Every structure is written in C-alpha cells, then in structure tokens.
Amino acid sequence: MIPTLVACACLLPTLVAAQYQIVKSYEGSTFFDEWTFYDNFDNLTNGDVNYLSAKDAQTQNLAFINDAGRAVMKVDNSSTLKFPSKRNSIRIATQAQFTIGSLWVADMTHVPFGCSVWPAWWSSSPTWPDGGEIDTFEGVNQVTMNQMGLHSAPGCTHSNTSVQSSTLINSTDCSILANANEGCTVTNPTTKSYGAGFANAGGGVWVTEFAVKGISIWFFTRSSIPDSLQSNASTIDTSTLGIPVANWPADGCSPPDFFEPQYLIFDITLCGDYAGNSNSFYQTCTGVCYQDWVLGTPSNYDNAYFEVNYVRVYGEPGELTVISSDASPSHTADAVRVLSILAGLFDPGIWTR
C-alpha cells in the first residue's frame, strides 16, 4: 500500500562528510556488459511480467543504447496480449557487489510510470533479508513522488536523530517482519522525483551513500545538480552535496550489523504485490490492473522505461569496494522468500522485489 505520510521533526546538525573516488562506471556503449539479466517470470513479487534474457531483450529492443548514448530499459509497448499472457520487461543486477564504504550515483532522464507500473532502482545482498535492501528509487502507478527505504532483519529502525531534508516519514521499522514488510520509508517531497514531473524536469541524479555511519540518499533535479557531480567527476566529497533527502544514521540501524555487500538492481514489474494491491492501485488508477492494463492497449506502457545516462560507484580511498561474484541475487532472494513463507513468518502478500 501507499503509506500515510506523517510529519517528522528531524534534527539538522552537520553530517559527517566523507571523500570517495571512482571505482566502477556503467555508461555508454558498454553499459550492459557487466549486468545479469534475470531471464525468468516475476516469481518474486507476483508481477505480470516475463523478465527477458540479455539476448531476448536486445532482439526485442527492450534493453539498448539509444542515439543519445543512454541506456534504455523498457516494458513491451507494442504487443497485444491475451489471457493468461504476461508482458515482457527487464530486470538486471550488477555482477559485482559493493561494500559498506561506497557511494552510488545514478543519472537518469526518464523513469517508468503509469497505471500498473512498479519500477525500482535499488540494491540487495545475496543473503536477503539478512544482508538488507536499500531502495533509492521506487514508484508505483500514478503517484507523483519517489519513495526511499530500507528493508532488513529485525532491529533496524529510522532514528529520530536523522539528518535529512524530507519531513515525510512513512514508517520507521525497517524489519521485514513489521507492517507486512513495508520497511522504513521516506517520501521525497517533490513531484520532480517521479513520473511525468521527473521527465518534464529533464530527469535528475540520485546519490546513495552506504557507510559505517549510516545510509543516506540525495536527489537533485537536472537544474540543481551540484558542481561536484558535473562532468566526469573522479572524486566526490559529500560535504558538497548538502543535506540528504533521506538519512538512516547508525544509531538506529548500524550498516555493519544489518547490511552486507550489495548488488545494484533495475527492474520494472507490472501489478504484483504492490502496484496491483487494491490499497495502492485504486489510489491513482481505475479498472482492473491485469485485465484493463497489462492486457489492454500496448500504448499503456509508452512511459514505462528507464533512460539512464550512467551509474557510477565510488569507494573510500584504499578500501576494498568491489567484490566480483557469480551468484545470482534474484534467485537467492527467491529461495529465501519461499522458505520464509513456508515458515509462516509473515504475510506473503507484500514482499520485496
């Protein structure tokens, strides 16, 4: 569901700044070279999509580099479907994992939106949920503002000592066992952070800091990107970024205790446990999610695509930041999901991606 927003009287002292240097870049013609395509139906969130392999995504023109040199990942918007078909889409995860002490920067000009659409730019450990999940960007249906959040093992919370600009805190318990796995989420209080508002503003940049001191997320519209993120910055000093829009300090959720190295993930599913949930769907959409939208006119998905200038990862100087791995984060998460549901730990109707 889309949670009710409550005001936050967050403290605004000075954040402890850190310096990072670039260790990995995904951009241009080689953007897709070091990502794993899920290549399966959505068996994680019950979405009405088939996630394509790299070969099929290229053949069907659902994952490609456009003439502007940007990576595009999209939902099929040309096929007319009949029951019980699922619509083709994309889910990719980095082949590398990134450790605590890293900073992730994603520059996008367009994000997916529309009724039935549930996109995310996020991260997960290979041992989810024990190793945590960080949602930098998540939208659903026709909402107008991005939601950020953490999902973790019990014990991690959003602290009232948070240093952040958003006062829209939806929930404070990050545990997957609390509130049907809602997580501890914060809404970005600008309509330029999602949907048509994001696209009309020329997109923007998200910065996610994954650090011992806590987890922070900054968002900048195209017109407000700071000089330190302009061009091909090889180093970033977080003191130049200002106050993050969302912050989870270590006194409420210590990253070394609740998080492990993370894969970075893009995905677009349709309907499923969140977008198709009646509490979410009917807040901004009409009809029946699958029958009227997924099986409806293909042009329903003309705006269901990511367009990405780059993803860059920065690390603390002298520290190990990049861990190469052949493990599949998606199938690991799926195994945990099945075991958890069988154990009756919580309601499987709302689940992470």
Side-chain angles (χ1 to χ4, degrees):
M1 68 176 182
I2 300 175
T4 301
L5 304 181
V6 295
C8 162
C10 296
L11 303 178
L12 291 177
T14 303
L15 270 179
V16 177
Q19 294 194 3
Y20 296 89
Q21 61 186 21
I22 196 163
V23 294
K24 195 78 172 174
S25 179
Y26 304 91
E27 56 190 298
S29 62
T30 61
F31 181 94
F32 292 109
D33 287 359
E34 296 182 62
W35 300 77
T36 298
F37 284 70
Y38 189 58
D39 191 21
N40 200 14
F41 68 94
D42 180 4
N43 59 346
L44 302 178
T45 59
N46 301 305
D48 294 305
V49 300
N50 294 309
Y51 293 125
L52 298 185
S53 67
K55 180 180 179 180
D56 288 343
Q58 181 179 17
T59 300
Q60 297 183 32
N61 211 35
L62 298 189
F64 60 94
I65 306 301
N66 66 15
D67 291 341
R70 299 172 182 142
V72 175
M73 294 158 275
K74 59 182 289 189
V75 173
D76 170 21
N77 65 337
S78 62
S79 301
T80 299
L81 305 182
K82 295 182 179 180
F83 180 86
S85 298
K86 297 177 182 290
R87 195 164 288 278
N88 290 342
S89 187
I90 302 296
R91 175 186 170 121
I92 61 173
T94 54
Q95 294 172 1
Q97 302 167 49
F98 302 101
T99 64
I100 294 173
S102 59
L103 187 83
W104 319 325
V105 182
D107 183 320
M108 308 184 205
T109 58
H110 192 281
V111 294
F113 65 94
C115 287
S116 79
V117 180
W118 176 12
W121 157 241
W122 59 293
S123 74
S124 176
S125 78
T127 58
W128 194 101
D130 292 335
E133 168 187 337
I134 303 169
D135 298 331
T136 297
F137 162 80
E138 183 173 27
V140 64
N141 296 316
Q142 298 277 44
V143 300
T144 58
M145 295 182 287
N146 174 44
Q147 178 175 280
M148 305 152 285
L150 308 182
H151 298 262
S152 72
C156 172
T157 62
H158 185 276
S159 169
N160 62 8
T161 64
S162 298
V163 182
Q164 62 180 56
S165 60
S166 177
T167 59
L168 303 180
I169 296 179
N170 311 321
S171 52
T172 59
D173 193 337
C174 312
S175 170
I176 62 164
L177 304 184
N179 304 318
N181 189 29
E182 181 180 329
C184 47
T185 60
V186 177
T187 293
N188 192 336
T190 172
T191 57
K192 294 181 180 180
S193 64
Y194 181 58
F198 179 86
N200 292 338
V205 172
W206 279 280
V207 179
T208 306
E209 184 179 32
F210 181 36
V212 170
K213 65 185 179 184
I215 295 169
S216 299
I217 298 174
W218 289 261
F219 172 70
F220 303 98
T221 59
R222 184 66 53 195
S223 62
S224 66
I225 297 173
D227 291 343
S228 57
L229 296 178
Q230 299 285 357
S231 190
N232 297 317
S234 60
T235 61
I236 293 178
D237 183 337
T238 58
S239 69
T240 66
L241 303 180
I243 300 296
V245 68
N247 169 243
W248 295 265
D251 64 354
C253 185
S254 172
D257 294 332
F258 292 96
F259 288 83
E260 297 173 0
Q262 302 275 298
Y263 295 99
L264 307 184
I265 303 169
F266 284 99
D267 78 80
I268 318 169
T269 195
L270 304 176
C271 299
D273 296 332
Y274 189 13
N277 182 289
S278 59
N279 290 330
S280 299
F281 185 76
Y282 292 116
Q283 288 193 32
T284 58
C285 297
T286 60
V288 179
C289 193
Y290 175 70
Q291 289 89 334
D292 294 328
W293 295 92
V294 178
L295 298 184
T297 175
S299 62
N300 287 339
Y301 299 103
D302 285 354
N303 281 306
Y305 66 94
F306 283 106
E307 185 176 27
V308 182
N309 279 318
Y310 63 78
V311 171
R312 293 172 184 162
V313 178
Y314 296 76
E316 294 178 340
E319 297 295 326
L320 174 67
T321 303
V322 183
I323 300 176
S324 298
S325 174
D326 295 326
S328 169
S330 301
H331 289 289
T332 301
D334 186 44
V336 174
R337 172 184 185 273
V338 173
L339 291 173
S340 298
I341 293 173
L342 291 176
L345 293 178
F346 52 88
D347 179 3
I350 302 293
W351 190 263
T352 186
R353 293 159 302 278

